[in-house]
């Protein structure tokens, strides 16, 4: 078979990647599988003497049953240095990381492309719930048909060089349809399997993970102060890294009314608390934007943005600041803007790009100084 019909599939041994392999085989592709060993979690080993985690063994079984070539890529050390360290570093900066967003371009899809070249495959394929569309020489990510499983939010950082090699056969299906398809192909037990974790290297509270992999975190940070919006001390907290914007539960302080984390100041080790109304905002700063066509994003008349996974898209307008950041004006108020999370921009169901939510320090002054640009954009001046 020619190289242009040879595809490398990232196999986790689960429902989605298994269905992807079968579908591509039915479409006439010669499928090659690769499973990345990224992070070993004890619960992923069924017996003490087991040399490889369950997902690798499952993927090997599926590959053998389908008669496809299969490889294991042991990338644990690189994964620790690139993804896990980023996760830790972000919390140590008072931010809330998006490890899956960074993992796709910097790690998983990049490694898939490297292994595709190594194994003579033209294409790479994943079990993501999204679709792809070519327009004006560019490839865009389109939301998946299953709104519950849509994963377009996590893929905004993928470059054109990767997108143009990708196949995502599950994008037009719901999760239930994929399960039924897999069962119909004789994989009944697998079709009834459970879902994988959203963050693949954490199987417990992230605070425990931070303490385990950064043993001196409590010495580096130590207890700090909860403060109100005027800077008045309300009580002590465990350390800023253990909190995130919008958090209400697990604060360990009683104020007589519901309190939410409004801001985190890592320099002062303070965590600002307030009421739910104080979480709301009309503006947001986004740093390090990436988009197939920046001019299209800035000019889009029906632009919307998602500020966290599973959040509803919020209609908005965007201008580019001199420092390269985007200033976003929400058409309706948004809540709990969280630095470190992704802001992903859409034109209906098409991803126009994204960026990381920046520190909102000085947002009132910045928005006031640039409000005339939105007025000019809307033809009001």
């Amino acid at each position: 078979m020619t190289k242009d019909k040879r595809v490398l599939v990232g196999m986790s041994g689960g429902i989605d990647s298994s269905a992807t392999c079968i579908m591509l085989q039915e479409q006439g592709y010669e499928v090659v599988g690769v499973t990345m060993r990224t992070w070993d979690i004890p619960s992923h080993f069924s017996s003490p003497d087991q040399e490889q985690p369950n997902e690798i063994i499952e993927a090997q079984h599926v590959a053998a049953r389908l008669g496809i070539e299969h490889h294991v890529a042991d990338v644990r050390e690189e994964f620790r240095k690139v993804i896990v360290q980023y996760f830790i570093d972000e919390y140590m900066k008072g931010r809330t990381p998006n490890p899956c967003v960074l993992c796709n371009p910097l790690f998983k899809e990049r490694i898939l492309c490297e292994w595709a070249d190594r194994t003579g495959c033209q294409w790479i394929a994943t079990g993501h719930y999204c679709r792809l569309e070519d327009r004006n020489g560019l490839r865009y990510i389109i939301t998946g048909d299953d709104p519950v499983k849509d994963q377009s939010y996590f893929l905004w950082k993928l470059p054109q060089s990767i997108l143009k090699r990708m196949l995502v056969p599950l994008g037009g299906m719901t999760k239930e349809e994929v399960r039924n398809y897999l069962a119909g192909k004789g994989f009944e037990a697998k079709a009834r399997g459970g879902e994988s974790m959203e963050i693949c290297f954490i199987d417990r509270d992230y605070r425990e993970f931070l303490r385990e992999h950064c043993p001196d975190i409590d010495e580096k940070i130590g207890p700090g102060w909860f403060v109100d919006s005027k800077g008045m001390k309300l009580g002590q907290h465990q350390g800023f890294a253990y909190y995130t914007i919008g958090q209400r539960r697990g604060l360990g302080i009683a104020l007589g009314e519901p309190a939410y984390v409004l801001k985190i100041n890592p320099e002062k080790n303070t965590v600002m608390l307030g009421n739910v109304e104080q979480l709301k905002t009309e503006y947001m700063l986004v740093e390090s934007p990436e988009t197939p066509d920046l001019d299209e994003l800035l000019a889009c008349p029906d632009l919307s943005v998602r500020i966290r996974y599973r959040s509803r898209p919020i209609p908005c307008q965007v201008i580019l600041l001199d420092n390269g950041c985007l200033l976003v004006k929400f058409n309706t108020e948004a809540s709990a803007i969280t630095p470190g999370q992704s802001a992903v921009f859409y034109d209906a169901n098409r991803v126009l790009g994204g960026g990381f939510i920046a520190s909102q320090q000085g947002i009132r002054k910045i928005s006031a100084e640039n409000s005339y640009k939105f007025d000019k954009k809307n033809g009001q001046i």
Side-chain angles (χ1 to χ4, degrees):
M1 187 171 292
T2 60
K3 181 179 178 180
D4 62 353
K5 292 296 286 186
R6 190 169 160 90
V7 57
L8 182 74
V9 177
M11 294 182 67
S12 67
I15 297 167
D16 300 330
S17 63
S18 299
T20 295
C21 289
I22 299 171
M23 287 181 189
L24 291 172
Q25 277 190 324
E26 291 183 335
Q27 293 172 19
Y29 288 92
E30 180 182 3
V31 175
V32 179
V34 64
T35 304
M36 298 178 202
R37 186 173 182 176
T38 56
W39 192 261
D40 290 348
I41 295 177
S43 61
H44 290 189
F45 291 77
S46 299
S47 62
D49 59 346
Q50 191 172 305
E51 293 184 0
Q52 300 200 91
N54 295 335
E55 55 264 30
I56 291 178
I57 295 173
E58 284 291 316
Q60 290 172 333
H61 287 167
V62 172
R65 186 167 169 183
L66 296 178
I68 66 177
E69 180 184 333
H70 181 265
H71 303 272
V72 175
D74 189 339
V75 289
R76 285 174 288 179
E77 184 61 24
E78 186 180 0
F79 185 83
R80 182 190 65 79
K81 290 179 179 179
V82 176
I83 304 303
V84 175
Q85 193 59 52
Y86 151 79
F87 180 84
I88 294 170
D89 290 345
E90 284 289 274
Y91 274 112
M92 295 294 282
K93 296 174 184 175
R95 295 160 61 92
T96 303
N98 253 161
C100 297
V101 167
L102 203 67
C103 187
N104 282 304
L106 294 187
F107 206 80
K108 289 187 175 178
E109 269 70 18
R110 175 183 62 79
I111 290 173
L112 279 180
C113 285
E114 291 174 0
W115 274 81
D117 293 339
R118 188 182 306 180
T119 55
C121 295
Q122 175 74 27
W123 306 101
I124 63 171
T126 66
H128 283 107
Y129 285 81
C130 70
R131 293 176 291 125
L132 298 172
E133 177 185 289
D134 293 321
R135 183 183 298 201
N136 300 324
L138 297 170
R139 177 158 287 189
Y140 289 88
I141 299 164
I142 309 296
T143 57
D145 283 3
D146 187 338
V148 177
K149 291 297 296 179
D150 169 51
Q151 292 169 300
S152 61
Y153 175 87
F154 294 115
L155 302 176
W156 65 266
K157 216 172 151 48
L158 287 178
Q160 290 291 305
S161 59
I162 289 178
L163 288 174
K164 290 184 176 182
R165 294 186 72 173
M166 282 186 70
L167 302 174
V168 281
L170 304 188
M173 303 175 72
T174 65
K175 184 72 175 194
E176 190 61 27
E177 289 171 340
V178 173
R179 288 184 185 275
N180 292 337
Y181 170 82
L182 200 56
K185 298 301 177 181
F187 289 81
E188 295 89 350
K190 184 167 292 297
R192 296 192 298 269
E195 295 288 334
S196 59
M197 297 176 293
E198 287 187 10
I199 299 180
C200 65
F201 55 91
I202 294 182
D203 61 350
R204 57 194 184 284
D205 188 274
Y206 83 88
R207 297 163 185 86
E208 295 178 32
F209 184 89
L210 290 178
R211 287 191 177 104
E212 179 182 349
H213 295 280
C214 189
D216 60 349
I217 185 171
D218 291 320
E219 295 177 13
K220 285 183 175 180
I221 297 177
W225 291 102
F226 285 121
V227 298
D228 64 15
S229 58
K230 296 179 181 180
M232 296 293 293
K233 294 179 181 178
L234 302 173
Q236 278 200 319
H237 61 67
Q238 298 177 47
F240 68 81
Y242 301 131
Y243 304 91
T244 188
I245 304 298
Q247 180 179 339
R248 175 186 173 187
R249 300 184 185 278
L251 297 178
I253 187 172
L255 298 177
E257 60 181 6
Y260 299 81
V261 174
L262 303 181
K263 293 181 182 178
I264 296 170
N265 188 325
E267 286 77 24
K268 296 182 179 179
N269 194 10
T270 56
V271 175
M272 184 184 294
L273 302 181
N275 60 48
V276 69
E277 289 299 315
Q278 291 174 288
L279 279 173
K280 296 179 180 178
T281 183
E282 187 182 358
Y283 291 92
M284 171 178 69
L285 280 173
V286 175
E287 61 189 2
S288 305
E290 294 184 25
T291 169
D293 187 334
L294 181 59
D295 290 338
E296 182 184 24
L297 188 154
L298 295 173
C300 180
D302 299 309
L303 192 67
S304 63
V305 62
R306 287 167 65 182
I307 58 174
R308 61 184 64 88
Y309 181 48
R310 298 191 189 284
S311 70
R312 63 180 178 83
I314 305 171
C316 67
Q317 302 173 61
V318 174
I319 59 173
L320 181 66
L321 301 179
D322 292 340
N323 63 2
C325 290
L326 299 177
L327 179 61
V328 180
K329 181 180 182 181
F330 300 107
N331 293 355
T332 58
E333 281 186 326
S335 182
I337 304 301
T338 308
Q341 290 286 289
S342 288
V344 184
F345 298 96
Y346 293 80
D347 176 14
N349 63 350
R350 182 168 58 110
V351 175
L352 294 188
F356 291 106
I357 297 175
S359 167
Q360 303 301 294
Q361 186 73 28
I363 186 67
R364 289 185 180 179
K365 180 180 179 182
I366 295 169
S367 59
E369 291 175 344
N370 291 276
S371 61
Y372 75 94
K373 295 181 181 179
F374 289 106
D375 293 337
K376 185 176 180 181
K377 189 174 185 178
N378 295 325
Q380 297 174 0
I381 58 174

